[in-house]
Amino acid sequence: MDTTLTAPLIFLDPEGVITGWSEGAERLLGWKTGDIVGQPYSGIYDDRGFFIGSDGPVDLDSVSVPTPDKGHVVALRSSQTKHLLERLDLTMTNADVIGSWNWDVSGDLIVTDGRFADTFGLSSKQAKKGLPLEEFVNRIHEEDRPRVADEIVRTIESGGAYSTEYRVMRPDGSVSHVLAQGKLVKGKDGKPDRFPGVLFDVTARRKAEMEAHAQRERYRNLFENLESGFCVIRMIWDDDGNPVDYEFLEINKAFARQTGIKDAVGKWIRRDIAPGHEQFWFDFYGKVARTGEAASSESPASELDDRWFQVQAFAIDGAGSDNVAVLFRDTTASKNAELSLKASEEEFRTLSQSMLNHVWTATPDGKIDWLNDRVVAFSGVAQGKLAGDAWGSIVHPEDFPAAAAAWTAAIEAGEIYQAEFRVRRHDGVYRWHVVRATPVKTEQGDIRRWVGTNTDIEHAKLNEAALAELNATLEERIAERTEQLLQSEKALQQSQKMETIGKLTGGIAHDFNNLLQVVAGNLQLLAKDVAGNERAETRVTNALAGVNRGAKLASQLLSFGRRQPLEPKVINVGRFVNGMEDLLRRSIGETVDCEVIISEGLWNTSADPTQVENAILNLAINARDAMDGAGKMTIEAGNARLDDSYTTGHEDVSSGDYVLIAVSDTGSGMDEETLEQVFEPFFSTKPEGKGTGLGLSMVYGFVKQSGGHIKIYSEPGHGTTVKLYLPRSVDEEHLEEQIVSGPAVGGSETILVVEDDDEVRATVVATLRDLGYNVLTARDAQAGLSVIESGIPVDVMFTDVVMPGTLKSPEMAKMAIAQRPDLVVLFTSGYTENSIVHGGKLDPGVELLSKPYTRESLDGRIRHLLANQKQRTMPAAKTGAAATHGQSGPAAPKADKLTIMLVEDEALIRINTADMLEDMGHTVIEAGNAAQALKAAEAQDFDILVTDVGLPDMKGGELAKEIRRLKPNVGIIFATGESEVPAGADEDAVLLMKPYSDNSLKTALKQVR
């Protein structure tokens, strides 16, 4: 039977299904337990906030409390007025009353109704007449009897209200929990008169309370004994509603062990424990509190000893509540192990990628899950295509069954796997490998994974087969080997012959260049003396033409001897060949069909562009001549790799990636004897007088000097193919540098000429003095350094590279520049196997003028280097000082502020000039070469172009024409060391001679506008 004190409770599981229904809930909502248990809670609670009773909506208050099994207990409560009315109604109708009494205190007789007497097992008739108090007290449970007697005595003594609970032993042996409520009534004399009261049966409520208490104890014991930590926290928000802290309301025993936090209840994590606690935790719990949605995470807490926690959080009292329940455990050890394992995996994979061998891993059951890049590159099959059991797809079909059976046996036994079988390469060729895999086991002996390697043993297999064959046919093999040795000896002799010829031709070319320099210098000086004598001028001109042809011949000899100074650039051969197509077609004539084929994805190579062009042109002309001017020539450019199997037969070739240039013709071809001599200088298959025999020699020397390889395939009647292999470069492509030349203008500076050859030195001195320069001389590097150390002013040191003596020219130059930083050094040489050319390549920053050189090229280089040096050493602060101190200068340009494109390859000069222009209030767009300038011109507008003439990738005059084509109204200023604007420049172009100041720059700006 329910009473007015029975709690209305609804029990829910984690899915919101009703699992329990108290009598109090039945009383408030009218639903029977059997009708409601198993139904969803949402079925009795609508979206207006009303509960749905059996008779319609009911306005009730509710409180929801989470249970440890993630369910909830909902307690119902009516409004105060309704609750009181309900209690009054139940009391008046005796729905919860099991009896009433009236005790005559003075007569010690208690009169009760029948139900009261039945409860105590007394006769109803006797009870109506009255029984002493002792009869009733003796029926009270013996454990409650003393307490009840004392409470009756206190009530009589105090005269107050009486209310107590106790147990009654019923006649059938059962025990009922009752609530006795009464009040002492005194007589007129103030003495106790009677004591009426009502008895309520609270057995059901007490049973529910005990069950609830037992359940709470069970859950409390559960959480207290959990290895996982548990706590209830209250979120702390700032004024803007952002979560900034939380307070611990409740914790279990494992909490401190899992977190290291002592006495946490009542403390705020950020304020009292860990000020630097990550904001993530506050945002994480704050979201759970706001949304009411449970969430989980595994995250670090740096201030809690760098621990990691796996957390489950759920809201208490639904969305919007500040309280959040948290179940968590410390996963630091497993997380550190996981991170260590991951780091170990990364280290293993990095190490594996650096190995030359094939490396792979597999799961405990033998499924391939990772391969290093060597396997992928070798097989040509992507990672995912060989995963699992797909590795058999690259194993030779004859070898696979045995290899797979051995692998299965190793997996079952957990032992090392080793087998030999053939693996298919990307080109379809099978190569023998020894494959070995080792199981990696845990401390418990379980296989965690397999680590395997594949080692190429093709050569060993070949040697093994060769040995077997040799043993079988020893005599035949000896004869064969003897023949091979003879061939090797022949190849060695050929190589030594080519090397010897190369040294001879290089030395001859060096001496020849010096002789040509003497002849050329004197002829140029003689040209001034015979000026006006037409016949003499013609002879001098013809003589100079002969010098030029001799210089070209010497250059070809140097090419073959690998002694020419190469200036390699990173180029794309495809674009280079396409750019030569018109030149090639003009060179070979219209009767030869020329086809150019460029592969997609062509790599870059590092080579001297001029020599590449000469090599291709030489091969094309040779092909034309071999076809008698009619046939088909094919030029191909593609990527190629020379592997060990190829390079083992060529001692001077390294394995690796190359860019291939192949020139093929349909001509007469060559026999074997001709092929053996084809690279020798002065050997030619052409009729006498039709060729020098240096074309292929030059190509051979250039390719070898560039670290490449050259191969000719030819048969009589089947044409010829010449293949050039130039080493691959992974750097970005550079534009080809062009040399600026112009008429000789001379100067008055002092030049120190250091040259050991008396005739060459005399010619150079005469040429320089004829140009107006002051000239000092020295016979060797030590003498040249002595001149510098003497303190005599010197503007330019012009020195040969190779001279006698212990002090070398480069060391002399370094020591001289250390003493005089403004000194300009220009090297010259006709033979470059020396200290400024390493591996046939000019050192960066070295200025070299190759012999023989013209009067104009010598003067042009000197003027350009002097102008750049003067501009580089002119401080911006000094040039800008005039305006600051009020010195007079030209009027400012028409516009107060101009946008100026400044193009200068010397960085210091560019910075200096940019500072001047910006100090004048102008905006500067800087460019280091023509390509950068043209790119900027397409994207931006500007008013004036200020450009050097000697740019690395285009002449300044040509750049100005391109700029004028893009922007016709732009003003042009040429900032140069030359005395006049470039030929063909527009009439309105202005000359600004280096070195210039801010005043001269202002004047130029005024003139151009």
Side-chain angles (χ1 to χ4, degrees):
M1 178 181 292
D2 197 9
T3 74
T4 56
L5 298 181
T6 301
L9 303 175
I10 303 173
F11 299 89
L12 308 176
D13 66 10
E15 284 72 36
V17 176
I18 299 173
T19 59
W21 188 261
S22 74
E23 292 178 348
E26 179 180 331
R27 170 171 49 79
L28 291 180
L29 295 174
W31 301 106
K32 299 294 185 182
T33 301
D35 297 330
I36 203 69
V37 171
Q39 301 297 320
Y41 178 61
S42 58
I44 64 168
Y45 188 75
D46 64 16
D47 54 5
R48 299 174 299 167
F50 289 95
F51 284 84
I52 308 301
S54 59
D55 297 327
V58 182
D59 185 11
L60 298 174
D61 294 331
S62 66
V63 176
S64 175
V65 178
T67 61
D69 63 352
K70 299 186 179 180
H72 282 80
V73 177
V74 180
L76 304 179
R77 181 175 60 196
S78 65
S79 64
Q80 184 178 7
T81 302
K82 183 175 181 179
H83 184 59
L84 292 174
L85 290 174
E86 181 184 40
R87 288 189 62 188
L88 178 60
D89 179 69
L90 291 172
T91 301
M92 294 302 295
T93 58
N94 292 326
D96 296 320
V97 178
I98 60 173
S100 61
W101 82 84
N102 189 11
W103 178 30
D104 182 357
V105 178
S106 59
D108 190 23
L109 289 176
I110 297 178
V111 178
T112 73
D113 57 16
R115 288 190 297 169
F116 191 102
D118 291 341
T119 301
F120 283 82
L122 298 173
S123 170
S124 299
K125 292 182 180 181
Q126 290 178 328
K128 286 182 180 180
K129 293 180 180 181
L131 291 170
L133 176 63
E134 186 178 1
E135 291 289 336
F136 294 95
V137 172
N138 288 338
R139 266 61 174 186
I140 297 175
H141 195 284
E142 61 181 355
E143 293 179 2
D144 299 338
R145 198 178 299 155
R147 175 179 57 79
V148 174
D150 289 343
E151 290 176 350
I152 292 173
V153 171
R154 284 198 300 270
T155 301
I156 293 175
E157 291 175 351
S158 64
Y162 173 74
S163 178
T164 189
E165 287 188 25
Y166 52 84
R167 290 166 288 178
V168 176
M169 303 298 296
R170 286 184 176 270
D172 59 2
S174 63
V175 178
S176 294
H177 289 264
V178 297
L179 170 66
Q181 290 185 333
K183 188 172 183 181
L184 179 66
V185 179
K186 296 181 178 181
K188 293 181 179 180
D189 56 1
K191 294 181 178 181
D193 183 23
R194 57 191 182 86
F195 196 154
V198 180
L199 191 66
F200 300 91
D201 187 349
V202 295
T203 302
R205 190 196 72 180
R206 290 295 294 166
K207 183 178 180 181
E209 287 178 349
M210 288 188 290
E211 289 179 353
H213 177 72
Q215 186 178 34
R216 283 196 300 272
E217 285 302 311
R218 285 197 298 273
Y219 283 123
R220 170 56 58 188
N221 290 335
L222 173 65
F223 283 108
E224 285 298 328
N225 294 309
L226 276 177
E227 285 297 320
S228 298
F230 176 78
C231 63
V232 177
I233 61 174
R234 178 178 66 87
M235 297 306 301
I236 310 298
W237 316 86
D238 63 12
D239 294 339
D240 296 326
N242 300 313
V244 294
D245 213 336
Y246 55 80
E247 177 187 9
F248 292 105
L249 302 180
E250 185 178 355
I251 62 174
N252 70 346
K253 291 180 180 178
F255 177 88
R257 184 173 65 254
Q258 294 282 347
T259 64
I261 302 174
K262 306 295 184 182
D263 303 323
V265 174
K267 293 181 179 178
W268 293 16
I269 183 70
R270 178 173 277 174
R271 184 191 67 184
D272 305 323
I273 300 172
H277 198 43
E278 288 87 351
Q279 182 63 33
F280 160 80
W281 293 105
F282 304 105
D283 296 336
F284 175 72
Y285 293 138
K287 183 178 179 181
V288 173
R290 280 199 178 98
T291 64
E293 297 177 358
S296 61
S297 173
E298 184 174 18
S299 302
S302 59
E303 290 213 359
L304 300 182
D305 298 327
D306 288 322
R307 302 187 191 206
W308 280 78
F309 294 99
Q310 189 177 66
V311 174
Q312 292 178 304
F314 49 91
I316 298 178
D317 298 332
S321 169
D322 290 342
N323 297 341
V324 176
V326 183
L327 186 66
F328 64 93
R329 64 186 181 91
D330 184 350
T331 60
T332 305
S334 61
K335 193 65 180 179
N336 287 341
E338 177 187 337
L339 294 175
S340 296
L341 178 60
K342 184 177 181 181
S344 177
E345 289 285 342
E346 288 298 322
E347 184 177 350
F348 164 76
R349 295 198 174 189
T350 301
L351 177 62
S352 298
Q353 292 290 23
S354 67
M355 295 178 64
L356 296 177
N357 274 21
H358 301 176
V359 182
W360 50 271
T361 62
T363 57
D365 59 353
K367 308 295 183 184
I368 303 296
D369 60 358
W370 182 79
L371 309 162
N372 74 346
D373 292 344
R374 300 293 181 188
V375 181
V376 175
F378 179 85
S379 66
V381 181
Q383 283 266 2
K385 300 295 185 180
L386 292 176
D389 295 326
W391 61 275
S393 63
I394 61 172
V395 177
H396 196 287
E398 296 177 2
D399 303 339
F400 179 71
W407 180 229
T408 301
I411 293 170
E412 292 175 352
E415 298 176 349
I416 292 174
Y417 169 76
Q418 182 166 322
E420 294 181 7
F421 50 80
R422 288 164 288 180
V423 181
R424 189 182 68 240
R425 199 168 57 188
H426 57 82
D427 57 1
V429 175
Y430 285 92
R431 293 180 66 86
W432 281 97
H433 287 74
V434 58
V435 180
R436 181 180 174 88
T438 302
V440 180
K441 298 183 179 181
T442 64
E443 295 180 357
Q444 293 74 31
D446 298 325
I447 296 177
R448 185 162 60 85
R449 70 175 179 182
W450 293 82
V451 176
T453 60
N454 307 340
T455 304
D456 191 319
I457 58 171
E458 180 71 17
H459 292 302
K461 282 289 187 181
L462 292 175
N463 291 338
E464 181 182 328
L467 181 60
E469 184 180 355
L470 178 62
N471 290 333
T473 57
L474 183 58
E475 184 176 348
E476 181 181 346
R477 297 293 295 175
I478 291 175
E480 202 174 291
R481 180 58 179 162
T482 302
E483 179 63 24
Q484 290 178 353
L485 290 174
L486 290 174
Q487 292 296 329
S488 297
E489 183 178 355
K490 186 176 180 181
L492 179 60
Q493 290 174 348
Q494 176 70 9
S495 176
Q496 291 174 340
K497 180 177 70 173
M498 297 296 288
E499 182 67 23
T500 302
I501 295 174
K503 289 181 178 179
L504 175 62
T505 55
I508 292 173
H510 170 255
D511 295 338
F512 193 34
N513 271 334
N514 275 343
L515 294 174
L516 288 174
Q517 182 60 50
V518 174
V519 175
N522 283 283
L523 285 173
Q524 291 174 38
L525 292 172
L526 181 61
K528 294 182 62 179
D529 297 336
V530 299
N533 185 333
E534 184 177 349
R535 186 176 179 182
E537 287 179 342
T538 301
R539 290 179 177 176
V540 169
T541 301
N542 292 338
L544 285 172
V547 169
N548 290 333
R549 288 194 296 272
K552 184 176 180 181
L553 176 62
S555 176
Q556 290 175 323
L557 290 172
L558 285 173
S559 295
F560 171 74
R562 310 182 208 177
R563 304 297 189 268
Q564 61 179 336
L566 298 182
E567 297 188 45
K569 305 293 182 184
V570 178
I571 61 174
N572 184 284
V573 171
R575 278 187 283 276
F576 199 82
V577 172
N578 284 330
M580 291 181 60
E581 193 166 353
D582 288 342
L583 173 61
L584 289 169
R585 294 189 187 281
R586 289 196 302 270
S587 300
I588 63 178
E590 297 180 356
T591 57
V592 175
D593 181 15
C594 179
E595 181 179 9
V596 176
I597 303 173
I598 308 298
S599 299
E600 293 186 3
L602 188 64
W603 296 329
N604 289 338
T605 184
S606 179
D608 188 316
T610 301
Q611 298 303 325
V612 173
E613 181 179 276
N614 289 340
I616 295 173
L617 192 58
N618 260 302
L619 295 179
I621 292 173
N622 282 349
R624 178 201 65 189
D625 294 344
M627 297 183 291
D628 292 329
K632 181 176 181 179
M633 179 180 70
T634 304
I635 301 177
E636 302 174 74
N639 300 329
R641 177 167 182 80
L642 301 182
D643 58 16
D644 294 341
S645 62
Y646 179 86
T647 58
T648 49
H650 301 79
E651 295 182 359
D652 59 344
V653 185
S654 300
S655 302
D657 294 334
Y658 292 84
V659 175
L660 169 65
I661 305 172
V663 180
S664 303
D665 63 61
T666 59
S668 57
M670 292 177 281
D671 57 27
E672 185 175 347
E673 183 179 356
T674 303
L675 286 174
E676 291 179 356
Q677 299 176 276
V678 72
F679 291 129
E680 295 180 10
F682 306 114
F683 175 80
S684 176
T685 60
K686 300 176 184 178
E688 187 174 351
K690 295 295 185 180
T692 63
L694 288 173
L696 279 178
S697 301
M698 182 196 71
V699 175
Y700 175 87
F702 156 66
V703 171
K704 291 298 183 181
Q705 189 176 353
S706 299
H709 176 57
I710 184 169
K711 188 71 175 178
I712 296 184
Y713 301 88
S714 184
E715 292 183 20
H718 294 280
T720 301
T721 295
V722 183
K723 292 186 175 182
L724 311 182
Y725 296 88
L726 297 175
R728 177 188 180 182
S729 173
V730 296
D731 294 333
E732 294 183 1
E733 182 182 6
H734 291 276
L735 296 174
E736 183 182 357
E737 185 172 332
Q738 299 181 7
I739 300 175
V740 178
S741 62
V745 295
S748 60
E749 289 84 359
T750 299
I751 300 177
L752 171 61
V753 177
V754 186
E755 171 64 62
D756 63 303
D757 189 302
D758 294 339
E759 293 181 356
V760 173
R761 184 173 63 255
T763 303
V764 173
V765 169
T767 301
L768 292 173
R769 285 176 177 167
D770 185 64
L771 289 169
Y773 294 107
N774 297 315
V775 183
L776 304 175
T777 63
R779 291 180 178 273
D780 55 33
Q782 189 61 57
L785 183 61
S786 297
V787 173
I788 297 296
E789 291 175 342
S790 69
I792 299 174
V794 176
D795 299 297
V796 179
M797 176 187 286
F798 183 52
T799 176
D800 193 7
V801 175
V802 179
M803 287 185 295
T806 56
L807 182 63
K808 304 300 180 183
S809 294
E811 283 73 19
M812 172 194 66
K814 289 179 182 178
M815 296 169 70
I817 292 175
Q819 294 189 38
R820 301 189 183 184
D822 294 342
L823 181 68
V824 172
V825 177
L826 176 60
F827 289 96
T828 182
S829 179
Y831 182 66
T832 59
E833 189 179 37
N834 49 63
S835 52
I836 67 165
V837 180
H838 295 147
K841 300 175 183 178
L842 201 63
D843 285 346
V846 173
E847 297 289 342
L848 176 68
L849 182 62
S850 295
K851 297 177 181 178
Y853 46 80
T854 65
R855 178 173 181 266
E856 287 74 20
S857 60
L858 172 62
D859 184 61
R861 289 294 290 277
I862 291 174
R863 297 315 311 165
H864 185 73
L865 293 175
L866 282 170
N868 281 351
Q869 180 68 3
K870 290 179 181 179
Q871 189 64 34
R872 186 163 49 243
T873 57
M874 181 178 292
K878 181 178 179 180
T879 57
T884 305
H885 292 82
Q887 296 180 10
S888 61
K894 296 179 181 179
D896 293 334
K897 183 175 182 180
L898 299 171
T899 299
I900 298 171
M901 170 78 75
L902 174 62
V903 189
E904 170 62 62
D905 60 320
E906 288 282 351
L908 291 177
I909 299 176
R910 187 170 67 250
I911 294 171
N912 188 317
T913 305
D915 288 343
M916 287 193 229
L917 292 169
E918 289 172 351
D919 287 344
M920 297 176 194
H922 303 307
T923 300
V924 181
I925 304 169
E926 297 184 39
N929 54 43
Q932 294 176 5
L934 290 171
K935 185 176 180 181
E938 293 176 353
Q940 303 178 63
D941 290 329
F942 53 94
D943 304 301
I944 296 175
L945 170 68
V946 178
T947 180
D948 191 5
V949 174
L951 298 176
D953 54 344
M954 181 184 290
K955 294 182 179 180
E958 295 175 0
L959 172 62
K961 290 179 181 178
E962 286 295 315
I963 293 294
R964 274 285 173 89
R965 185 180 60 80
L966 294 172
K967 302 182 183 299
N969 296 324
V970 167
I972 305 296
I973 297 177
F974 291 106
T976 177
E978 300 181 13
S979 59
E980 56 185 17
V981 298
D986 292 346
E987 294 181 357
D988 59 348
V990 173
L991 176 66
L992 176 62
M993 289 190 63
K994 294 179 179 177
Y996 47 80
S997 65
D998 58 345
N999 283 338
S1000 57
L1001 182 57
K1002 286 180 181 179
T1003 300
L1005 293 173
K1006 180 180 178 182
Q1007 291 174 346
V1008 82
R1009 299 298 291 173

